[in-house]
């Protein structure tokens, strides 16, 4: 059974008949006197130009489909009515549709006029729906960069020292021949930088999700009925609501 809460989900759905065949697409919804959805138009044909009405009292939503207890030929042969979305069906149009779909209904009788007037207005019903907005992923890739490190290195240099002959060094100085040739070698050493590379783990990176709630303002036009009264002693009509 289709209720007032289902109206927003019914419009635009594909309509399937009792024989399992696709009939068309839901266009407009008409309500009964109690405010419950009673009829819907079904747009048929290649471009949806043909539109007929079907009752909703035994219809049901199944996934993205509106299932009705009538086959395609019954809907296609339904009498054409000329009613706007915001206007109720006339008594004659409703009776012809009830007769076509073999629905039992009592002939409406005119009720006694009431001295009160009902004022109605539209209200916004706001909700939320979940949709996919994007995907995020982690990807690891390699980049090469030049890195410089300063390291201290040392080397040996020759230092020539001259010292006078003293009593302590005289014995060593006169130990050799008076005049001769000789040479003495000193091995010099120096440090040089050596570079080696190693892979070292530095950190772990992971992704997670968090829900952030923020306020978003939505709006739409709503219609309201106004009631004015014409009283003999007033100069003109005046609003009473």
């Amino acid at each position: 059974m289709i209720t007032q809460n289902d109206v927003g989900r019914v419009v635009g759905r594909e309509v399937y008949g009792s024989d399992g065949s696709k009939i068309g697409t839901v266009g407009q919804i008409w309500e009964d006197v109690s405010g419950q959805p009673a009829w819907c138009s079904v747009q048929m044909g290649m471009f949806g130009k043909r539109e007929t009405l079907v009752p909703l009292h035994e219809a049901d939503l199944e996934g993205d489909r509106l299932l009705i207890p009538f086959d395609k030929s019954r809907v296609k042969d339904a009498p054409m009515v000329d009613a706007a979305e915001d206007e109720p069906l006339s008594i004659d149009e409703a009776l012809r549709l009830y007769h076509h779909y073999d629905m039992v209904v009592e002939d409406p009788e005119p009720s006694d006029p009431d001295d009160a007037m009902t004022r109605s207005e539209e209200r916004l019903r706001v909700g939320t729906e979940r949709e996919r907005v994007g995907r995020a992923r982690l990807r690891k890739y390699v980049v090469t960069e030049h890195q410089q490190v300063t390291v201290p290195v040392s080397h040996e240099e020759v230092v020539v020292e001259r010292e006078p002959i003293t009593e302590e060094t005289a014995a060593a100085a006169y130990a050799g021949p008076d005049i001769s040739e000789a040479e003495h070698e000193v091995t010099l050493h120096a440090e040089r930088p050596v570079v080696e590379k190693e892979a070292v783990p530095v950190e772990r990176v992971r992704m997670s999700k968090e829900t952030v709630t923020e306020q978003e303002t939505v709006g739409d036009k709503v219609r309201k009925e106004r009631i004015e009264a014409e009283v003999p002693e007033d100069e003109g009509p005046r609003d009473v609501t």
Side-chain angles (χ1 to χ4, degrees), residues 58-71:
E58 293 184 4
D60 195 12
L61 273 175
E62 186 176 290
D64 293 335
R65 299 182 176 185
L66 178 68
L67 306 181
I68 60 174
F70 307 103
D71 57 26

Side-chain angles (χ1 to χ4, degrees), residues 34-227:
S34 65
Q36 293 300 318
W39 300 89
C40 77
S41 63
V42 179
Q43 300 170 348
M44 307 174 64
M46 182 175 297
F47 300 103
K49 293 184 177 181
R50 175 177 173 81
E51 199 168 27
T52 58
L53 267 66
V54 297
L56 292 174
H57 71 290
E58 293 184 4
D60 195 12
L61 273 175
E62 186 176 290
D64 293 335
R65 299 182 176 185
L66 178 68
L67 306 181
I68 60 174
F70 307 103
D71 57 26
K72 187 174 183 178
S73 60
R74 175 73 69 91
V75 177
K76 184 177 180 181
D77 296 336
M80 302 295 295
V81 297
D82 186 18
E85 182 181 6
D86 55 350
E87 296 179 358
L89 298 177
S90 67
I91 296 177
D92 179 65
E93 291 172 336
L95 289 176
R96 286 192 290 127
L97 289 169
Y98 278 125
H99 177 74
H100 175 76
Y101 289 108
D102 296 331
M103 299 170 62
V104 179
V105 62
E106 298 181 357
D107 293 337
E109 298 180 357
S111 58
D112 295 333
D114 192 356
D115 58 356
M117 183 177 295
T118 300
R119 185 180 71 85
S120 302
E121 63 184 30
E122 295 177 336
R123 301 286 177 86
L124 291 180
R125 292 182 176 178
V126 182
T128 59
E129 63 178 7
R130 188 181 181 88
E131 64 177 6
R132 179 184 296 180
V133 295
R135 297 181 63 184
R137 63 168 59 92
L138 285 177
R139 182 171 62 91
K140 185 169 67 172
Y141 60 96
V142 177
V143 297
T144 302
E145 61 182 14
H146 185 73
Q147 188 177 58
Q148 288 184 330
V149 178
T150 301
V151 57
V153 293
S154 61
H155 66 276
E156 295 175 342
E157 294 181 351
V158 174
V159 178
V160 179
E161 298 179 352
R162 303 177 68 177
E163 57 183 18
I165 303 299
T166 63
E167 292 181 359
E168 289 80 7
T169 63
Y174 290 105
D178 295 339
I179 301 296
S180 64
E181 293 183 356
E183 67 178 24
H184 183 70
E185 290 185 355
V186 176
T187 302
L188 302 177
H189 298 84
E191 295 178 339
R192 62 181 177 85
V194 177
V195 178
E196 294 181 353
K197 292 182 288 187
E198 64 174 337
V200 180
V202 292
E203 65 178 351
R204 299 272 294 171
V205 180
R206 65 168 51 89
M207 295 181 66
S208 62
K209 296 189 300 183
E210 64 177 6
T211 300
V212 180
T213 302
E214 58 186 9
Q215 300 296 324
E216 184 173 340
T217 302
V218 297
D220 200 354
K221 295 180 179 179
V222 295
R223 297 174 300 168
K224 296 182 179 181
E225 296 177 341
R226 296 297 188 189
I227 299 176

